[in-house]
Amino acid sequence: MHLMPKDCQHTHWDAIRTGNEDAFRQLFELHWQDLFTYACRITRDPATAQDAVQSVFIHLWEKHTTLPPVTAVLPYLRTALKHRLLNAMRDENLYQKHVDTFHQVAENHHATPAHEQLHLKETEQQLLQSINRLPERMKEVFYMNRVEDLSVAEIALRLGSSPQTIRNQLNTALQRIKHIFIVE
């Protein structure tokens, strides 16, 4: 890892806040590997780690004008990365819990009474209807992620969007589906 004096990192940070692309590129090159290694230790999945690190840097650039003044850049970046990873793991665990429950019920449907089978069919129908109510682009992103099993990075590349935009669309889709289920 390249060491940059703390004063120099602070100067780079201030330059990034004013939109200096060279300073941003240097910060990226300086901290990419460290953040990737940190994310891999947490996720144990290089693809997820790479998505998360890219997402942090994309967010930094997109929000560079509203970034706070920071003197300890690497700890700030690690904290931002940790929050992004925790949110991603929370969302994935919540989704997986629902999928597991649905599969468990579906596997046992032959042993359940007819009224429970009907309820399961109605629930499945309600799920499909709630997905169909999503805006077209959001439905496409949701389908690519949950049915085609594409990663956020793969979807972003395929659709020409940023990984953060794809994550936002997935999170919004899950919230809308969940809301429709609760309301109905």
Side-chain angles (χ1 to χ4, degrees), residues 1 12 26 29 31 38 45 57 81 91 95 103 105 177:
M1 178 169 104
H12 269 78
Q26 288 174 3
E29 290 171 3
H31 293 299
Y38 178 74
D45 177 22
F57 279 105
L81 178 59
D91 292 343
Y95 172 77
H103 284 302
V105 170
I177 291 168

Side-chain angles (χ1 to χ4, degrees), residues 1-17 22-24 26-32 34-35 57 60 67-78:
M1 178 169 104
H2 302 93
L3 292 178
M4 182 183 288
K6 193 174 183 179
D7 294 351
C8 190
Q9 287 186 32
H10 179 67
T11 304
H12 269 78
W13 186 261
D14 287 341
I16 290 166
R17 292 175 65 210
D22 289 332
F24 177 78
Q26 288 174 3
L27 186 80
F28 176 85
E29 290 171 3
L30 181 67
H31 293 299
W32 164 260
D34 182 62
L35 293 172
F57 279 105
L60 283 178
L67 291 174
V70 172
T71 54
V73 175
L74 184 57
Y76 177 86
L77 292 174
R78 280 188 180 160

